[in-house]
Amino acid sequence: MLLLGVAPSCADGRLRVVRRSAPHMGTVVTITVAAESEAAGERSIDAGFAEVARLDRLLSSYRADSDLSRLNAQAGAGPVAVSAELLDVTAEAIGIAEESGGAFNPLIGPVVRLWGIPDRPRRPTPDELARLRPLLDLGGLSVDPRAGTIALAMPDMAVDVGGIGKGYAADRVAALLRARGISGGVVGMSGDVRAFGSRPGGQPWRVAVRDPRGGPDPLGVVELTDGAMSTSGTYERFFEIDGVRYHHILDPRTLMPATSADGLISVSVMAASATRADGLATAVLVMGGSEGMALVERSPGVEALVLDVQGRVRASAGWPARKLDNTLQGGP
Ligand code: AMP
Ligand code: MG
């Protein structure tokens, strides 16, 4: 994430911008707030990072003691009482799965594990992959919000909220900051950004979509007051097996790293919440440009900017046009 036009501690009237970055959830988290004093800003940022750490302890696939791992360990054994946060994020993930016709699938966990993502990458055999297919059946995942339980129908099924969890955390931290009386801020978790309120002086926050090819000009710049933007890309995290490069977003149809027919390498999605933006960005990357853009166009309040392997940039009808024009001058 790149936040433009706001130097830390730039003061305007009684508000100043306070910002800090720290490593969390396997990425760099940056919290920016408009606060009445440096000290007040720092205290809120401390509370924000504590919330990120708390959510990571609940939702991480990499921690054996997380609420998520505890749920997955009891797959096939009936409903499991889980935290409100895990219920919430799983319900959101199921919603995105339905919207995307299964391109987003929170039951991708066993496939991620079989590919050895991220630490011990290996190419599974077609047989090994085929054996996992029944574990991706979304009918086997049930969330009961009233009972506070989640059930996984088959042993070895596993929920993975990696495709949506950072956005969810960004939303939760933004809500916490707001509840503390902060009038505006931005929570950035690498590619997932949630903004609320405004900059000191009342202008919107400006967030750049970085060019994944490393070019100096951003692909786009968006202005956010209450809203979110997430970018998913095949370049963000990848691994090599026998000299072949694979990436970490898997296509639930093939159980292989997603390779859309039209070769998308980066998808940025704007939506009201970062949870939705994050989930939809992952979904559109799997679906590819035509199918993915069709989903974006029929989703109210959702816009997207996509880049394909040939360097072509495409935007949905409501993507802020002025910014895209600016961008294209310096783009491919
Ligand atoms: P993101 O960086 O938001 O695109 O999310 C990538 C992460 O989502 C991966 O590291 C996996 O944990 C998970 N994931 C991979 N493929 C899928 C998929 N098709 N549906 C849902 N989650 C996925
Ligand atoms: Mg995502």
Side-chain angles (χ1 to χ4, degrees):
M1 188 221 19
L2 213 62
L3 202 57
L4 304 176
V6 270
S9 58
C10 87
D12 183 287
R14 45 178 204 98
L15 292 178
R16 64 185 56 233
V17 172
V18 186
R19 176 185 308 154
R20 198 193 316 150
S21 298
H24 272 286
M25 289 191 162
T27 187
V28 176
V29 178
T30 302
I31 301 179
T32 304
V33 294
E36 279 161 27
S37 68
E38 196 78 26
E42 293 291 351
R43 278 195 304 275
S44 287
I45 291 174
D46 286 342
F49 280 121
E51 177 70 353
V52 176
R54 189 182 73 84
L55 291 167
D56 188 42
R57 283 193 298 272
L58 290 174
L59 305 177
S60 172
S61 302
Y62 306 118
R63 292 171 182 262
D65 60 348
S66 70
D67 208 24
L68 180 72
S69 297
R70 199 175 53 78
L71 167 69
N72 289 338
Q74 294 175 80
V80 179
V82 297
S83 60
E85 290 82 354
L86 183 53
L87 273 178
D88 220 22
V89 73
T90 306
E92 292 258 16
I94 292 172
I96 305 278
E98 285 166 355
E99 273 181 84
S100 66
F104 186 93
N105 187 330
L107 291 178
I108 200 81
V111 190
V112 172
R113 222 178 277 160
L114 185 62
W115 277 90
I117 299 171
D119 297 329
R120 283 167 285 105
R122 57 178 281 264
R123 187 151 176 4
T125 66
D127 269 4
E128 285 175 310
L129 287 171
R131 274 199 292 276
L132 296 190
R133 174 146 307 282
L135 304 179
L136 272 72
D137 175 8
L138 283 162
L141 168 62
S142 27
V143 175
D144 185 339
R146 284 183 49 204
T149 58
I150 300 180
L152 289 161
M154 294 165 69
D156 299 329
M157 277 185 161
V159 173
D160 174 352
V161 295
I164 198 173
K166 291 198 189 72
Y168 179 74
D171 284 336
R172 295 296 299 233
V173 172
L176 174 141
L177 294 171
R178 184 165 254 168
R180 287 180 60 98
I182 297 287
S183 61
V186 180
V187 184
M189 320 261 301
S190 73
D192 306 296
V193 183
R194 169 62 195 255
F196 65 98
S198 56
R199 288 158 63 180
Q203 311 96 320
W205 301 97
R206 297 172 69 212
V207 178
V209 184
R210 239 180 328 185
D211 187 336
R213 298 157 299 184
D217 300 320
L219 275 187
V221 177
V222 298
E223 294 186 336
L224 299 174
T225 43
D226 289 297
M229 185 180 66
S230 276
T231 300
S232 265
T234 58
Y235 55 87
E236 308 179 299
R237 278 188 206 179
F238 48 79
F239 49 93
E240 269 183 24
I241 305 170
D242 298 335
V244 179
R245 194 182 265 202
Y246 297 94
H247 62 86
H248 69 306
I249 297 169
L250 300 167
D251 186 336
R253 292 164 295 199
T254 59
L255 309 184
M256 302 285 289
T259 47
S260 67
D262 38 14
L264 292 192
I265 60 169
S266 174
V267 174
S268 298
V269 170
M270 289 173 75
S273 78
T275 310
R276 238 170 112 57
D278 188 359
L280 287 171
T282 305
V284 170
L285 196 73
V286 172
M287 295 168 90
S290 12
E291 211 194 324
M293 258 331 175
L295 170 63
V296 168
E297 297 292 11
R298 67 173 179 266
S299 307
V302 177
E303 301 297 339
L305 181 75
V306 302
L307 170 71
D308 72 16
V309 72
Q310 258 116 37
R312 281 181 303 228
V313 179
R314 229 174 105 185
S316 62
W319 183 272
R322 184 173 57 84
K323 313 293 179 315
L324 181 61
D325 290 346
N326 287 345
T327 299
L328 284 177
Q329 287 166 17

